[in-house]
Amino acid sequence: MSLPEIEPVSRESTAGIIARQLRDAIMTGALPPGTQLGETDLASRFQVSRGPLREAMQHLVSEGLLRSERHRGLFVIDLEPGDVYDIYSARSAIERAAMLRALRGDRERVATELEEAVRAMAAAADDDDPTALSWADLRFHEALIAASGSKRLVRMARTLLIETRMCLTALQGTYQQVEERVTEHTRIIEALRAGDEETALSLLEAHMEDAVQRLAPGTSLREGEAPAVP
């Protein structure tokens, strides 16, 4: 079979580099929700022309991380209660599917991988480093989804996990004792390792529900209580 002429793979484009850096800044809260992004200021900071900057920003609009307002410009999305519900509802479905695959596969291998993230969470808690704690928390869920072996689940989770990182930044101030987060994840691992499907899925659901309750009081995944759309 003859192949059509194929162009050599180029290095990451300028727009791709800018999009990655803006995405990271949104994830970590360096660009908080509601921040307006000015082209002139960003072009100066990145030392680029407006062409690749606009391309990068449109990538983030398509990913749902930036919103466009007519005659005003681009803003980092705000996570309203409805957004929180959507994020965790979708994550719950994806991670439930990933957990079921993990339970039917090499449970010990997956549990060991998840324990690495929990150890990092515990170390961050000991160091009183909420940012590191949130990154380790995110790695736990990334590892669980990756362990499913499903490329589709990983792909579907990609933008959700970026939005989740934004939620985790907001969650940092809701825990009186950060050890709570470590305990929640440890119990999930214990149920996985034991092959206890009912407990593992129940704990995962409770973990998602707890986050929703902290971020959007009065909203519930279990009861399907999504906030009313204005």
Side-chain angles (χ1 to χ4, degrees):
M1 179 181 68
S2 60
L3 293 174
E5 185 175 347
I6 298 175
E7 295 290 331
V9 177
S10 60
R11 296 180 179 178
E12 185 177 14
S13 67
T14 300
I17 294 171
I18 295 170
R20 174 165 48 79
Q21 293 190 33
L22 289 175
R23 191 181 295 114
D24 288 346
I26 293 170
M27 287 174 64
T28 60
L31 286 174
T35 300
Q36 183 174 15
L37 302 186
E39 282 189 9
T40 301
D41 178 56
L42 286 175
S44 174
R45 286 172 179 264
F46 284 112
Q47 297 184 355
V48 296
S49 65
R50 294 193 180 190
L53 177 62
R54 287 173 178 168
E55 182 182 344
M57 293 166 83
Q58 284 306 310
H59 279 310
L60 299 188
V61 170
S62 67
E63 291 176 11
L65 298 177
L66 295 179
R67 71 175 193 276
S68 177
E69 292 189 13
R70 187 177 178 84
H71 303 310
R72 293 194 64 202
L74 296 176
F75 297 78
V76 177
I77 60 167
D78 293 290
L79 293 179
E80 303 293 341
D83 299 310
V84 173
Y85 178 89
D86 285 347
I87 292 166
Y88 280 89
S89 179
R91 277 189 58 202
S92 184
I94 291 171
E95 294 193 36
R96 176 185 172 86
M99 177 62 78
L100 286 171
R101 288 190 177 217
L103 285 160
R104 289 159 175 68
D106 188 343
R107 299 196 307 271
E108 184 60 35
R109 177 184 62 80
V110 178
T112 299
E113 291 176 358
L114 296 180
E115 282 174 336
E116 291 182 14
V118 172
R119 282 194 293 271
M121 290 176 68
D126 289 342
D127 293 340
D128 193 24
D129 187 343
T131 299
L133 179 61
S134 291
W135 276 116
D137 189 331
L138 194 67
R139 284 202 301 274
F140 177 97
H141 295 280
E142 286 178 324
L144 174 60
I145 295 166
S148 71
S150 169
K151 294 179 180 178
R152 288 178 177 82
L153 289 179
V154 171
R155 187 166 62 244
M156 287 189 293
R158 189 168 295 129
T159 298
L160 282 172
L161 289 175
I162 295 172
E163 293 174 314
T164 296
R165 182 63 181 82
M166 297 171 68
C167 290
L168 291 175
T169 298
L171 274 173
Q172 289 175 3
T174 70
Y175 288 91
Q176 292 182 343
Q177 294 182 326
V178 293
E179 291 80 6
E180 292 177 60
R181 291 167 72 175
V182 176
T183 300
E184 285 181 12
H185 291 80
T186 299
R187 292 177 63 201
I188 292 171
I189 294 173
E190 290 171 349
L192 167 63
R193 178 172 273 125
D196 187 341
E197 179 177 312
E198 181 178 355
T199 300
L201 294 177
S202 177
L203 289 171
L204 188 61
E205 179 185 357
H207 180 60
M208 300 289 182
E209 176 71 13
D210 178 67
V212 170
Q213 289 288 338
R214 291 173 184 273
L215 290 167
T219 303
S220 175
L221 295 177
R222 289 174 175 167
E223 300 173 15
E225 295 178 357
V229 177

